[in-house]
Amino acid sequence: MKKFNLLILLLFTSISFGQNKFTISGYVEDSKTGEKLFGVNVYTNSKSGNVTNEYGYFSFSLEEGKHTIYVSYIGFKTIEKEINVSSNSKVDFKLEEDSFNLNEVVISTTKIENKVKSTEMSVNTLKASTIKKLPAILGEPDVIKSIQLLPGVSSVNEASSGFNVRGGNADQNLILLDDATIYNASHLFGFFSVFNSDAIKDVKLYKGGIPSTYGGRLSSVLDVRQKEGNKKEFNGEAGIGLILSRVLVEGPIKKDSLGQGKGSYMFAGRRSYVDAFTFLDDEFKDNVLFFYDLNLKANYDLNEKNKIFLSGYFGRDRFELPKFIGTSWGNAIGTIRWTNAISEKLFFQTSAIFSNYDYELDNLRSGSEFRWKSNITNFNFKPKLTWYASSNATVRTGVDITHYKFNPGKISAINGSSITAEKFQNNFALENGMYIDAEFDLSEKINIQAGLRFSNFMRLGNESIRIYETGKPLSFDPVYGVYEENEVESEKKYGSGEVIKQFNNLEPRFSMRYLLNDRNSLKTSYNRIYQYIHLVTNTTSPTPLDVWTPSGPYIKPQFADQIALGYFSNVKESSYDFSVEAYYKKLTNVTDFKDGADLLFREDVETQVVQGVGRAYGLEFLLNKNTGKLTGWLSYTLSRSENKINGINNNEYYANNVDQLHRLNLVGLYKTNSRWEFGGVFTFSTGRPVTYPTGRYEQNGLVVADYSERNGNRLPVYHRLDISATLNPKKDSNKTGKWIFSIANLYNRQNAASIFFREISEVNDVEIATGNTEATKLSFFGIVPSVTYEFKF
């Protein structure tokens, strides 16, 4: 705490040097659409300046006199404007697209030098335009699949519905869409994500050095922003592919005399039609398999200082095998946000957010039909104040209040079956956060970002808590090395809103950049983060049917301490940039499941969960080629992720389910001329850990498998090559359509999603009980060609 107080003192000391200056503030927008631009560099010849926030707003201080302001953003023409500073001034800028290098592809979202000079580390940003240029499975660009090409990010297989960051589990990622939490980001069991690339503006991934404005997840924050819409004119775009189609429309709201709207709107939708082809085979003609989603965003300028935003998303999947099984899941979110430029130095925003994720599972077998439904709902309130204290100091502070309702499950009869209805108890919780985050220059070479977050979590009634004989649900038997469930002694009833268990914690955050010169810098960061809700699953990848549960009397909150050190460099006038980062992450109260855990339809999940410690460490390399006809990046990750939990693997460290020693990604984008663009992605990684049986024995006529140590084996190495080609219309043509051709898994690599063992029951086409077993590999797909037609209107 003394160190933090010292940093605050240094902050206000630095602010004092900025007194008696005048403030320059304003917005930066796209001249063509009127949409505000995030991450634009606004600076002067004296090197004072700032970067626009997510609403396109900037503010910094200048001494009295003449200054030249430069406004630069990749893909747009740089503005150079001379101003005479004699008072506080509001200056807005409209950037025009740079059409000079039509044959070049630019892959960065911010000025390249900013990667070296900013304090941010362990952060990657992708524009929607970059995501749409990458080869994609079945031709559909995908946010989740795109970030898996970055260093430190992985997945367990091609159809994974989650992603893993620096050895963390998928539930340790905070996924935000316009500030609203997405609890399951998958469509079609993980082949696609919920993010429609047409509706997305930009994507930012924090892997470390996470600002204190974020909390609640240990590994990463994926911050996805939707487009605001075109303020100048109505237009739209659409795409027709082999298995899905999509459409987007946008336009102004209430145009003024200059032809610019007081606001704008954006509406986008997608619908897959895999099930439309089931008629080709009588065996599958009645099967159901599809998803759809809707994106909405609108904004309106109440006046020069006040703006209001409304955004929403609704998506749903449906899968059914008649007379066998059916399932449905989906997200629904809504956000209303108000921003107020209180003064030149103060920018206020507040958001009210609703988020719901629900699923249902139908057993359709005759005579025992039932439906299992579960959901998690939260209401979130987030006021935030930004103080542009001086040209070299910015302070952010706010609160983050989230109320949760967890519905673990409800069973009900369907189709007139005699199944007895049953409902598990709802769980309630309140998570509060208060934070302050300050970024300031100590000198020309040293920049510091320091923050402190206070988090509070309360498990609330209305709920009955089981009281176990020994005071805990499990006891460990050191002789046999197994956990035994304890008997329930009684139950204690807590009334509505009554606090069952409360946790209070401090989460310090710190980042520092040391500028070696204009092209090279060193950075370091440290953060502590607590996570109070847990995903209950014993699979390697989350499924739509997994249940979230809050911390409480028997499941402690997880927390992680991560430290990172990095070197960042620009070469050849920023045509290339390079970074290398080393990190070490220590996890406490990490959760896993006891041997033989059974989670199906259980309310007492605390009897299946065990907790211990974990560690993750590694090196990440990233080389970007930013300009020219050929652009792209090369990323490589060398890492380890391990857990140590009493009663598992003889109480020694064992590999986490997502541990991968090597992961390599090579991405290339090539534009030959104004008509043809090509893309290629090659991925290689070592196999993830698995647990294989080492033998079997018979007991009372039953065959029982004997397993090796937890995650003591590995799947085969994974590698795949995807390519794409885009044919744009002729420049002198009035056509707006383009064709996108792609081939996923070009050389037909049969990557193993899993390996299972089964009895050999057939020899030379004759069924016979051999008593022997064989290993069988499950692969999701071979070569997958696709074609998509996109057009604008």
Side-chain angles (χ1 to χ4, degrees):
M1 195 66 181
K2 290 181 179 179
K3 292 181 179 179
F4 183 76
N5 291 334
L6 176 61
L7 290 174
I8 296 297
L9 177 62
L10 290 171
L11 166 65
F12 285 100
T13 301
S14 68
I15 292 173
S16 66
F17 292 119
Q19 300 302 312
N20 301 319
K21 291 184 177 182
F22 298 106
T23 301
I24 307 300
S25 62
Y27 292 90
V28 180
E29 65 181 43
D30 185 331
S31 64
K32 184 177 180 180
T33 65
E35 190 161 357
K36 299 298 187 292
L37 298 176
F38 172 39
V40 179
N41 291 272
V42 185
Y43 59 100
T44 69
N45 47 3
S46 61
K47 295 187 178 180
S48 296
N50 213 321
V51 177
T52 57
N53 67 9
E54 58 266 42
Y55 305 101
Y57 185 80
F58 70 90
S59 176
F60 59 93
S61 300
L62 290 174
E63 295 178 351
E64 186 175 3
K66 290 186 177 181
H67 299 268
T68 301
I69 293 183
Y70 301 90
V71 184
S72 66
Y73 193 55
I74 287 294
F76 290 81
K77 295 178 181 178
T78 297
I79 292 178
E80 181 178 334
K81 182 176 182 179
E82 187 175 280
I83 63 171
N84 189 11
V85 178
S86 59
S87 63
N88 293 338
S89 303
K90 184 177 185 296
V91 185
D92 295 333
F93 296 96
K94 297 183 179 182
L95 293 182
E96 297 180 3
E97 288 187 351
D98 188 355
S99 58
F100 180 74
N101 294 316
L102 287 177
N103 290 346
E104 294 186 358
V105 178
V106 180
I107 66 170
S108 299
T109 58
T110 57
K111 189 174 174 65
I112 306 303
E113 290 88 341
N114 200 45
K115 296 181 181 179
V116 170
K117 295 181 179 179
S118 75
T119 315
E120 285 185 342
M121 69 177 301
S122 307
V123 177
N124 297 105
T125 308
L126 288 175
K127 291 177 71 173
S129 57
T130 301
I131 293 171
K132 296 180 77 170
K133 293 179 187 298
L134 299 175
I137 297 176
L138 294 169
E140 181 65 11
D142 192 87
V143 168
I144 300 297
K145 296 294 188 287
S146 298
I147 66 170
Q148 290 171 5
L149 301 173
L150 299 171
V153 187
S154 63
S155 66
V156 295
N157 56 56
E158 288 140 328
S160 170
S161 63
F163 61 98
N164 309 100
V165 176
R166 290 185 170 177
N169 295 325
D171 69 321
Q172 294 172 353
N173 304 310
L174 178 61
I175 303 176
L176 300 174
L177 179 62
D178 282 346
D179 275 347
T181 302
I182 299 291
Y183 288 97
N184 187 303
S186 74
H187 280 314
L188 290 184
F189 300 99
F191 282 104
F192 303 101
S193 77
V194 299
F195 301 112
N196 182 344
S197 59
D198 288 342
I200 297 306
K201 183 178 181 180
D202 52 56
V203 178
K204 195 168 189 177
L205 176 68
Y206 296 86
K207 300 177 294 185
I210 299 174
S212 59
T213 52
Y214 299 102
R217 300 293 190 278
L218 301 187
S219 291
S220 76
V221 178
L222 180 64
D223 194 355
V224 182
R225 301 280 172 173
Q226 296 188 114
K227 290 180 179 178
E228 294 175 7
N230 194 318
K231 282 190 173 183
K232 302 283 187 176
E233 59 185 7
F234 171 84
N235 59 38
E237 56 185 285
I240 303 173
L242 293 179
I243 67 164
L244 67 85
S245 292
R246 59 186 191 272
V247 64
L248 175 144
V249 293
E250 56 182 344
I253 300 174
K254 194 179 180 181
K255 281 188 177 182
D256 59 21
S257 58
L258 299 177
Q260 177 152 322
K262 292 277 289 181
S264 60
Y265 65 88
M266 180 277 298
F267 177 82
R270 290 188 300 178
R271 211 282 194 184
S272 71
Y273 31 78
V274 179
D275 51 332
F277 297 101
T278 57
F279 74 91
L280 297 174
D281 191 321
D282 289 340
E283 186 177 348
F284 299 103
K285 66 179 181 179
D286 295 325
N287 293 350
V288 176
L289 178 61
F290 69 89
F291 76 83
Y292 67 89
D293 51 26
L294 304 171
N295 295 76
L296 168 69
K297 192 165 186 179
N299 67 89
Y300 191 78
D301 297 346
L302 300 175
N303 52 45
E304 191 177 68
K305 292 188 174 183
N306 293 275
K307 304 176 189 296
I308 191 167
F309 299 81
L310 176 68
S311 59
Y313 168 83
F314 181 79
R316 196 119 206 115
D317 282 70
R318 180 66 186 168
F319 169 65
E320 182 177 323
L321 299 178
K323 298 182 180 180
F324 180 58
I325 195 171
T327 183
S328 175
W329 71 91
N331 294 275
I333 65 171
T335 301
I336 184 168
R337 183 182 298 106
W338 166 53
T339 67
N340 175 225
I342 299 173
S343 69
E344 295 84 358
K345 290 179 176 290
L346 293 175
F347 187 89
F348 177 75
Q349 65 187 74
T350 187
S351 303
I353 303 163
F354 167 81
S355 180
N356 178 79
Y357 172 70
D358 68 271
Y359 76 79
E360 63 182 47
L361 174 66
D362 295 343
N363 179 24
L364 302 176
R365 296 172 185 174
S366 179
S368 60
E369 297 97 329
F370 68 85
R371 173 168 295 159
W372 170 272
K373 296 187 69 174
S374 177
N375 75 294
I376 175 174
T377 303
N378 73 252
F379 295 91
N380 191 201
F381 180 60
K382 291 183 179 179
K384 176 183 175 182
L385 179 67
T386 303
W387 176 31
Y388 298 96
S390 71
S391 59
N392 58 3
T394 302
V395 181
R396 298 173 181 86
T397 186
V399 298
D400 189 348
I401 303 170
T402 305
H403 182 272
Y404 296 97
K405 178 184 177 182
F406 303 84
N407 173 16
K410 177 182 179 181
I411 298 176
S412 58
I414 58 175
N415 298 333
S417 72
S418 58
I419 295 293
T420 303
E422 183 178 357
K423 187 179 187 303
F424 291 171
Q425 293 185 104
N426 290 331
N427 306 139
F428 300 90
L430 184 65
E431 183 173 355
N432 304 303
M434 299 175 57
Y435 61 85
I436 182 170
D437 191 86
E439 184 176 355
F440 54 96
D441 294 331
L442 285 183
S443 67
E444 288 188 4
K445 291 185 175 292
I446 300 176
N447 181 276
I448 287 177
Q449 183 173 358
L452 184 65
R453 184 183 182 93
F454 171 74
S455 61
N456 162 265
F457 187 85
M458 292 182 285
R459 175 80 171 264
L460 304 174
N462 189 13
E463 184 181 356
S464 295
I465 298 296
R466 288 170 287 277
I467 308 299
Y468 294 90
E469 284 182 345
T470 62
K472 52 186 180 181
L474 293 172
S475 293
F476 180 65
D477 186 337
V479 176
Y480 295 99
V482 296
Y483 283 96
E484 296 179 349
E485 295 182 26
N486 293 319
E487 294 292 329
V488 176
E489 190 176 73
S490 62
E491 289 190 355
K492 182 176 180 180
K493 175 67 175 179
Y494 290 86
S496 178
E498 187 176 356
V499 177
I500 299 172
K501 184 72 174 180
Q502 183 170 195
F503 305 93
N504 298 296
N505 294 291
L506 289 176
E507 304 178 23
R509 317 284 174 86
F510 177 83
S511 298
M512 184 178 73
R513 178 225 68 204
Y514 180 77
L515 201 62
L516 300 172
N517 51 49
D518 285 345
R519 298 292 182 184
N520 300 275
S521 67
L522 295 174
K523 301 182 186 182
T524 187
S525 67
Y526 164 78
N527 54 240
R528 167 171 284 197
I529 301 180
Y530 280 81
Q531 179 167 331
Y532 297 100
I533 66 173
H534 315 268
L535 189 61
V536 181
T537 175
N538 57 358
T539 61
T540 55
S541 174
T543 73
L545 310 181
D546 295 327
V547 175
W548 290 85
T549 190
S551 297
Y554 304 119
I555 302 179
K556 300 176 182 178
Q558 305 174 74
F559 66 94
D561 295 278
Q562 178 174 263
I563 188 169
L565 178 66
Y567 169 72
F568 296 76
S569 178
N570 293 328
V571 294
K572 289 191 176 182
E573 298 182 347
S574 299
S575 293
Y576 298 85
D577 68 81
F578 170 77
S579 66
V580 56
E581 294 188 39
Y583 68 90
Y584 182 86
K585 181 163 56 177
K586 179 183 177 182
L587 301 99
T588 304
N589 296 332
V590 61
T591 59
D592 208 331
F593 296 88
K594 68 177 187 178
D595 292 335
D598 178 15
L599 300 175
L600 188 62
F601 306 146
R602 296 197 67 140
E603 190 172 17
D604 57 343
V605 294
E606 66 269 16
T607 63
Q608 309 300 306
V609 175
V610 290
Q611 294 187 290
V613 297
R615 63 188 182 192
Y617 49 93
L619 283 171
E620 296 173 358
F621 301 85
L622 179 63
L623 174 65
N624 283 305
K625 186 177 186 300
N626 300 301
T627 58
K629 289 189 174 183
L630 175 64
T631 59
W633 66 86
L634 171 67
S635 72
Y636 170 69
T637 306
L638 175 70
S639 63
R640 276 289 182 229
S641 178
E642 301 168 315
N643 292 342
K644 183 179 180 181
I645 297 177
N646 194 32
I648 299 178
N649 197 37
N650 297 318
N651 306 331
E652 299 292 335
Y653 275 104
Y654 63 94
N656 189 309
N657 289 334
V658 301
D659 177 66
Q660 290 179 317
L661 180 60
H662 302 285
R663 187 169 180 87
L664 174 75
N665 296 295
L666 179 60
V667 178
L669 302 172
Y670 186 73
K671 190 168 186 178
T672 58
N673 50 47
S674 61
R675 296 209 68 192
W676 282 103
E677 299 176 58
F678 299 92
V681 173
F682 175 73
T683 298
F684 172 90
S685 65
T686 49
R688 65 171 180 81
V690 290
T691 305
Y692 290 154
T694 56
R696 66 178 192 175
Y697 57 91
E698 288 192 19
Q699 185 175 9
N700 298 327
L702 297 176
V703 177
V704 180
D706 186 22
Y707 286 90
S708 63
E709 65 182 33
R710 179 80 64 98
N711 290 342
N713 306 100
R714 296 269 171 179
L715 290 177
V717 296
Y718 176 100
H719 51 88
R720 196 179 88 200
L721 175 63
D722 302 339
I723 60 171
S724 67
T726 301
L727 176 61
N728 297 296
K730 293 180 180 179
K731 290 178 61 177
D732 54 356
S733 170
N734 58 2
K735 296 180 180 179
T736 62
K738 62 181 180 181
W739 290 93
I740 303 170
F741 310 93
S742 67
I743 302 177
N745 197 16
L746 180 65
Y747 53 83
N748 197 27
R749 167 69 177 180
Q750 298 295 303
N751 289 298
S754 66
I755 291 180
F756 59 94
F757 294 82
R758 63 184 181 184
E759 184 177 354
I760 299 175
S761 58
E762 187 176 286
V763 177
N764 296 329
D765 297 327
V766 177
E767 291 189 8
I768 184 173
T770 65
N772 298 320
T773 57
E774 65 178 354
T776 302
K777 178 173 67 174
L778 172 64
S779 299
F780 284 116
F781 57 78
I783 299 175
V784 184
S786 66
V787 58
T788 301
Y789 179 68
E790 294 184 357
F791 60 96
K792 295 183 178 181
F793 55 89

